[in-house]
């Protein structure tokens, strides 16, 4: 399936330049039975996209019309049959050659259509039905492509029709000089280049529609969609003063689900995976300036499992580096210092607890306490802060010149045999009681060390595999690839810094 669809897209793109997204996403919409709107100035080949999509289907019929405020339903849906009205008193249209009889429809300047046309289009787009006289006709419509050089005006009741266009694309003039030269030197763009062998028959189209219903959405992809939905409530748009809440109707989400199922089907998959989700950003913006922000949200959501795994690895590595440093410092304690504090109870091998400080969950670094100056001498400069992994715990340590934890408070530290003095206030260090099992202050290290380098290599491989799968998606464009590479460049930079941090583990 994928090879055939890619060949079909390649054929439709012959002698038409920088319209890859419009053509590939129009084909996706057609196979899914959905609609698409192209926003852009006149003369940028918007109608050409519809003509090329006609060539994707065998024996397809097409209909094109340029709307104006004077357009009537007769011009779109066919004139009223005089004979039916005269002989049978039935108000029925002659639809042959008009929208109700065609497979691919292109309606230019869609927002200029009057209410009578717009209301009929709502049913045409959503249910593929048209009421003609006393009968309701099931339409052969596979794709409706609408075009405009402006967004629908607010307050004129166009919101329902705007919502029906599942895919929204900004169509621009040719940007690359090389492509402009090819366009100028080229011949007729209207020729049908498509090999009849790869065109889609009506029987195939009907069967595929049933097969798409059997494609499921796997758990990871569903979680990703839910994350995207939450993120759309607070979208940071470039240049906007406030975050935006982008509303997506339930009907639209249902249509999007059909679209990503179709993408998976066209890539020979029986389940939707996260790599099918990137093109859905074309369905999620309401204003053109929101598009890039929404695309970034979708990209971040696709890579979120890797990002979460990396964040957990970095936190574990930070803990390991800290414990390594604590163990190294504890190992420098003299035998006399260890003997002096042998009656004190240790926690997590590296901490003493202050028995009656604040909530009772305050701990001082064991190696730091052992080497504090005696009370009455100049105090040691220290820090007191909440543990970032558990805000109920307060940590007290000697300031060693390293990065200061967020929310730290500078303190002066001193000690005697049984107490620590914080800014001159005495706090007793918890000791072993008769029922405690007395163990050495530093337990013998028997744990198996993690191979962080191997874990980072595996994570980088996962990132690379996901990137390749996305780049092989038929429905993403060069701008999508550039945005993805920008995001991953920062990710790979963080990975490189983390590789260096591994060297800080000293045991």
């Amino acid at each position: 399936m994928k090879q055939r669809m890619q060949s079909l897209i390649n054929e439709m793109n012959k002698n038409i330049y920088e319209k890859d997204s419009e053509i590939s996403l129009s084909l996706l919409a057609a196979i899914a039975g959905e609609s698409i709107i192209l926003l852009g100035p006149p003369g940028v080949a918007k109608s050409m996209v519809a003509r090329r999509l006609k060539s994707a289907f065998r024996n397809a019929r097409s209909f094109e019309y340029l709307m104006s405020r004077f357009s009537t339903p007769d011009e779109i849906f066919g004139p009223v049959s005089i004979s039916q009205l005269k002989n049978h008193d039935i108000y029925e249209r002659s639809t042959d050659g008009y929208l109700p009889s065609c497979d691919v429809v292109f309606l230019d300047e869609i927002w200029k259509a009057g209410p009578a046309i717009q209301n009929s289009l709502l049913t045409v787009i959503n249910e593929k039905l048209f009421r003609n006289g006393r009968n309701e006709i099931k339409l052969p419509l596979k794709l409706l492509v609408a075009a405009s050089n402006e967004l629908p005006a607010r307050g004129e009741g166009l919101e329902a029709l705007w919502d029906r266009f599942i895919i929204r694309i900004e169509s621009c003039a040719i940007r690359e000089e090389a492509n402009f030269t090819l366009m100028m030197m080229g011949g007729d763009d209207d020729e049908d280049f498509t090999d009849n062998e790869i065109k889609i028959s009506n029987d195939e189209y009907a069967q595929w529609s049933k097969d798409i219903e059997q494609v499921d959405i796997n758990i990871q992809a569903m979680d990703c969609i839910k994350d995207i939905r939450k993120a759309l409530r607070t979208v940071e748009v470039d240049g906007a003063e406030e975050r935006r809440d982008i509303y997506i109707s339930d009907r639209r989400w249902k249509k999007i689900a059909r679209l990503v199922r179709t993408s998976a089907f066209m890539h020979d998959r029986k389940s939707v995976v996260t790599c099918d989700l990137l093109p859905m950003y074309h369905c999620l913006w309401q204003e053109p300036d929101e598009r890039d922000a929404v695309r970034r949200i979708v990209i971040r959501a696709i890579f979120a499992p890797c990002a979460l795994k990396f964040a957990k690895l970095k936190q574990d590595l930070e803990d390991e580096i800290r414990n390594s440093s604590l163990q190294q410092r504890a190992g420098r304690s003299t035998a006399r210092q260890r003997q002096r504090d042998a009656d004190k109870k240790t926690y997590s091998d590296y901490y003493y607890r202050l028995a009656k400080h604040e909530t009772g969950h305050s701990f001082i670094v064991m190696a730091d306490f052992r080497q504090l100056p005696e009370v009455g001498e100049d105090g040691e400069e220290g820090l007191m802060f909440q543990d970032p992994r558990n805000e109920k715990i307060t940590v007290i340590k000697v300031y060693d010149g390293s990065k200061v934890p967020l929310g730290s408070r500078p303190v002066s530290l001193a000690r005697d045999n049984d107490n620590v003095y914080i800014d001159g206030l005495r706090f007793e260090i918890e000791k072993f009681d008769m029922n405690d099992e007395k163990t050495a202050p530093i337990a013998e290290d028997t744990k198996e060390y993690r191979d962080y380098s191997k874990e980072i290599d595996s994570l980088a491989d996962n990132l690379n595999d996901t990137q390749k799968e996305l780049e092989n998606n038929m429905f993403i464009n060069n701008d999508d690839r550039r945005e993805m590479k920008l995001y991953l460049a920062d990710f790979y930079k963080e990975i490189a810094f983390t590789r260096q941090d591994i060297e800080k583990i000293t045991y």
Side-chain angles (χ1 to χ4, degrees), residues 30-286:
I31 303 299
E34 299 300 342
S35 53
I36 184 170
I37 185 165
L38 306 177
L39 297 170
V44 293
K46 297 191 292 291
S47 60
M48 182 71 65
V49 172
R51 293 185 201 125
R52 288 297 173 92
L53 260 293
K54 174 193 171 186
S55 68
F57 300 94
R58 291 177 194 163
N59 305 315
R61 302 178 70 186
S62 65
F63 175 79
E64 293 184 26
Y65 198 79
L66 174 62
M67 297 286 195
S68 76
R69 56 181 175 167
F70 303 111
S71 298
T72 66
D74 292 5
E75 297 168 279
I76 309 301
F77 303 108
V80 175
S81 172
I82 302 300
S83 62
Q84 286 289 83
L85 186 61
K86 181 178 179 180
N87 298 329
H88 304 287
D89 199 26
I90 297 174
Y91 189 89
E92 191 173 278
R93 297 184 182 278
S94 298
T95 59
D96 189 46
Y98 292 88
L99 184 151
S101 65
C102 294
D103 302 274
V104 177
V105 173
F106 177 71
L107 299 177
D108 202 1
E109 299 299 342
I110 184 71
W111 309 123
K112 293 181 179 177
I117 295 174
Q118 291 172 6
N119 289 338
S120 296
L121 285 176
L122 291 176
T123 309
V124 165
I125 294 172
N126 212 44
E127 282 87 28
K128 303 291 190 296
L129 295 173
F130 176 68
R131 187 161 188 82
N132 192 16
R134 297 172 182 171
N135 302 315
E136 200 167 57
I137 304 171
K138 181 69 176 174
L139 303 181
L141 183 65
K142 296 177 177 65
L143 176 68
L144 190 148
V145 180
S148 179
N149 57 16
E150 60 187 358
L151 292 172
R154 296 180 183 273
E156 294 189 9
L158 299 172
E159 292 81 9
L161 186 57
W162 170 245
D163 195 56
R164 293 301 199 277
F165 296 109
I166 300 304
I167 297 177
R168 300 160 178 169
I169 300 179
E170 284 190 279
S171 194
C172 305
I174 293 173
R175 289 179 288 186
E176 297 291 332
E177 253 187 49
N179 290 331
F180 178 77
T181 301
L182 290 171
M183 185 270 292
M184 294 293 288
M185 301 293 289
D188 185 6
D189 294 335
D190 289 329
E191 184 180 346
D192 182 357
F193 299 97
T194 311
D195 183 352
N196 201 55
E197 289 298 314
I198 62 173
K199 288 186 178 184
I200 303 164
S201 69
N202 287 334
D203 289 342
E204 284 177 318
Y205 184 84
Q207 183 58 49
W208 291 354
S209 186
K210 295 176 184 176
D211 293 341
I212 288 166
E213 288 297 324
Q214 305 306 311
V215 176
D216 65 5
I217 302 177
N218 73 19
I219 293 174
Q220 189 174 344
M222 193 66 243
D223 288 342
C224 186
I225 290 172
K226 288 188 282 190
D227 288 343
I228 292 168
R229 182 169 178 254
K230 289 177 186 175
L232 290 176
R233 295 170 188 164
T234 53
V235 180
E236 190 174 349
V237 177
D238 294 339
E241 294 181 0
E242 296 180 355
R243 292 175 181 264
R244 296 185 191 173
D245 181 355
I246 300 179
Y247 171 73
I248 306 295
S249 67
D250 291 344
R251 174 181 60 214
R252 192 169 184 79
W253 279 116
K254 189 70 175 175
K255 297 283 188 181
I256 290 170
R258 169 81 179 180
L259 207 65
V260 296
R261 283 189 172 100
T262 304
S263 171
F265 176 77
M266 293 173 73
H267 284 89
D268 297 311
R269 288 190 281 268
K270 293 183 178 180
S271 293
V272 174
V273 297
T274 54
C275 293
D276 291 307
L277 303 183
L278 180 52
M280 70 186 279
Y281 79 86
H282 294 287
C283 313
L284 298 175
W285 54 266
Q286 299 289 355

Side-chain angles (χ1 to χ4, degrees), residues 155-429:
E156 294 189 9
L158 299 172
E159 292 81 9
L161 186 57
W162 170 245
D163 195 56
R164 293 301 199 277
F165 296 109
I166 300 304
I167 297 177
R168 300 160 178 169
I169 300 179
E170 284 190 279
S171 194
C172 305
I174 293 173
R175 289 179 288 186
E176 297 291 332
E177 253 187 49
N179 290 331
F180 178 77
T181 301
L182 290 171
M183 185 270 292
M184 294 293 288
M185 301 293 289
D188 185 6
D189 294 335
D190 289 329
E191 184 180 346
D192 182 357
F193 299 97
T194 311
D195 183 352
N196 201 55
E197 289 298 314
I198 62 173
K199 288 186 178 184
I200 303 164
S201 69
N202 287 334
D203 289 342
E204 284 177 318
Y205 184 84
Q207 183 58 49
W208 291 354
S209 186
K210 295 176 184 176
D211 293 341
I212 288 166
E213 288 297 324
Q214 305 306 311
V215 176
D216 65 5
I217 302 177
N218 73 19
I219 293 174
Q220 189 174 344
M222 193 66 243
D223 288 342
C224 186
I225 290 172
K226 288 188 282 190
D227 288 343
I228 292 168
R229 182 169 178 254
K230 289 177 186 175
L232 290 176
R233 295 170 188 164
T234 53
V235 180
E236 190 174 349
V237 177
D238 294 339
E241 294 181 0
E242 296 180 355
R243 292 175 181 264
R244 296 185 191 173
D245 181 355
I246 300 179
Y247 171 73
I248 306 295
S249 67
D250 291 344
R251 174 181 60 214
R252 192 169 184 79
W253 279 116
K254 189 70 175 175
K255 297 283 188 181
I256 290 170
R258 169 81 179 180
L259 207 65
V260 296
R261 283 189 172 100
T262 304
S263 171
F265 176 77
M266 293 173 73
H267 284 89
D268 297 311
R269 288 190 281 268
K270 293 183 178 180
S271 293
V272 174
V273 297
T274 54
C275 293
D276 291 307
L277 303 183
L278 180 52
M280 70 186 279
Y281 79 86
H282 294 287
C283 313
L284 298 175
W285 54 266
Q286 299 289 355
E287 303 281 346
D289 63 349
E290 296 168 350
R291 182 198 60 196
D292 291 346
V294 172
R295 175 167 51 196
R296 288 192 290 269
I297 285 172
V298 175
I299 288 173
R300 285 198 300 268
I302 289 171
F303 287 99
C306 288
L308 290 171
K309 186 176 181 181
F310 182 52
K312 178 66 167 62
L313 185 148
K314 283 178 67 178
Q315 184 62 65
D316 290 347
L317 178 59
E318 185 180 317
D319 291 345
E320 188 117 0
I321 291 169
R322 188 188 68 237
N323 289 339
S324 166
S325 174
L326 291 174
Q327 182 172 327
Q328 189 178 42
R329 287 156 63 191
R332 290 199 294 265
S333 301
T334 65
R336 183 176 178 182
Q337 288 171 332
R338 290 195 293 272
Q339 182 60 39
R340 182 184 184 187
D341 295 322
D343 60 342
K344 296 173 181 61
K345 188 173 182 178
T346 58
Y347 287 82
S348 302
D349 292 339
Y350 306 117
Y351 298 93
Y352 294 141
R353 188 175 78 88
L354 281 62
K356 295 179 181 179
H357 181 263
E358 297 184 348
T359 62
H361 298 287
S362 298
F363 297 84
I364 186 167
V365 175
M366 180 178 68
D368 289 346
F369 176 77
R370 288 177 177 172
Q371 300 183 46
L372 287 178
E374 293 295 320
V375 63
E377 300 177 6
D378 291 338
E380 184 77 37
E381 185 180 354
L383 297 172
M384 185 161 62
F385 55 92
Q386 289 181 320
D387 190 326
R389 294 166 303 283
N390 186 344
E391 293 184 354
K392 293 181 179 179
I393 292 177
T394 300
V395 176
I396 302 155
K397 59 173 284 188
V398 169
Y399 177 56
D400 58 4
S402 61
K403 183 179 177 181
V404 175
L406 190 65
S408 296
R409 179 165 71 88
V411 291
S412 175
L413 300 173
R415 66 162 293 176
D416 60 21
N417 282 338
D418 301 316
N419 307 285
V420 62
Y421 292 80
I422 302 174
D423 292 334
L425 298 177
R426 184 183 66 185
F427 297 95
E428 185 181 359
I429 299 295

